Amino acid sequence: MGLTITEKIFSAHCKKECRAGDVIMAPVDGAMIHDITGPLAINVMKDMGGGSVFDPKKVIMLFDHQIPADSISAAENHVMMRTFAREQGIHNYDIKEGVCHQVVPEKGRVKPGDIVVGSDSHTCAYGALGAFSTGIGSTDMAYVLKFGELYFRVPETIRINANGKFQDRVGPKDLILTLAGDIGADGATYRALEFCGNAFSDMDIPGRMTCANMAIEMGAKAGIVPPDEKTWEYLRGRTDCTPFSLASDEDAKFFETRDYDVSKINPKIAVPHNVDNVVDVTEVAGKPVDQVFIGSCTNGRYEDFARAAEVLGDNVFSEDVRVIMVPASKAEYMKVLKAGLIEKFVEAGALVEAPCCGPCMGGAFGLLAPGEVSLSTSNRNFRGRQGSAESFVYLSSPETAAASAITGVITDPREV
Ligand SMILES: CC(C)[C@H](C(=O)O)[C@@H](O)C(=O)O
Ligand code: SF4
């Protein structure tokens, strides 16, 4: 019987055949730590005897959640991590580059076939580039920092066959929200999702990142798009790896296969307070919103802002809505700027902020008061996620967010 992509990646790293269900130790090709979970990982590594990290070139450090430091304790964490980076010879992107799950692929720190771990649950995002990447806890990260390997249970794979063409103003975020609603928040626990079909082969890399990013919202360890020419094109100039083929064998054993015709997918909304509480936008259209956030590692790339700008057209945003836009990285910010979209959005009434996680998890700014409603292009809508435990977060695509920011209520982007 053949092997899945996931089984092939682990087999290559362990230099023996690995099958779903095997518990193995595997070396990692990258380990990402950020300002929230990095300090604990470093302190536990020191408790384990400290010493040198396994390979400073494979440790990725950056600050993105509480930046610039929004408290004395955050500033102290940053200082502690900067000191560790200097002592260990680790390159620290500091507060300058943006959100971890945009910076890691953007800087060529992951490539197809890699195993990359990060002390952040959305590390599965790099599956968009054909890697097995997954979030781990800070104490596991301490072990990885010291030894460069970690134990894994090789996950079974759920294959998603998505074919067809999206309707206008419907796209990758609506597809991944559809999957979250169908599979459920724990429906893929400890499985790997594999994204196949021409909906993915036609999809650009940012769209694939949106989908892979949210694999964890179904409990999945990974969300992998088999590498193709688009993958290698994206990596050209970012890494020195030469293209190779990596795909599941046709006779590989899948835990489950699900088929989707994306032309039938309508704009979707995840309704508070669960990501798998997904409905067609028409079911909640007309609901007033107080704040619209376009950004995060899920939908903070130039392509996401271009989608929003296309819907905005010559309109302005509603006077009753606070529109907060945060590109996911410096590089993405510059693309949005050079395309004249910062000016367009500011003229329309938006507040455009420097790259960071921002309102996504109620961090440094953009917090909601009790009773307030946010429509967000991020990936989580748990109670209290963006502020008061009495506030409400709805999740959507950039297109739906832009349409709703114009009207002041949740709006089907196909109707503006
Ligand atoms: C702060 C970090 C631990 C957390 C995560 O792991 O996902 C955050 O990035 C989030 O999105 O909730
Ligand atoms: S943008 Fe949001 S989801 Fe992404 S890493 Fe930051 S807090 Fe987590």
Side-chain angles (χ1 to χ4, degrees), residues 169 174 267-269 280-289 292 311 318 321 375 396-416:
R169 296 184 175 175
D174 301 300
K268 295 290 183 180
I269 298 282
D280 278 5
V281 64
T282 47
E283 290 190 37
V284 289
K287 169 95 181 155
V289 295
V292 169
V311 173
S318 162
V321 178
L375 182 64
S396 81
S397 71
E399 295 93 329
T400 302
S404 307
I406 294 165
T407 61
V409 299
I410 294 181
T411 299
D412 187 331
R414 299 169 297 186
E415 290 173 9
V416 296

Side-chain angles (χ1 to χ4, degrees), residues 177-199:
L177 285 174
T178 300
L179 294 180
D182 288 354
I183 294 174
D186 59 359
T189 298
Y190 221 108
R191 315 273 186 234
L193 297 180
E194 188 176 316
F195 298 123
C196 297
N198 71 10

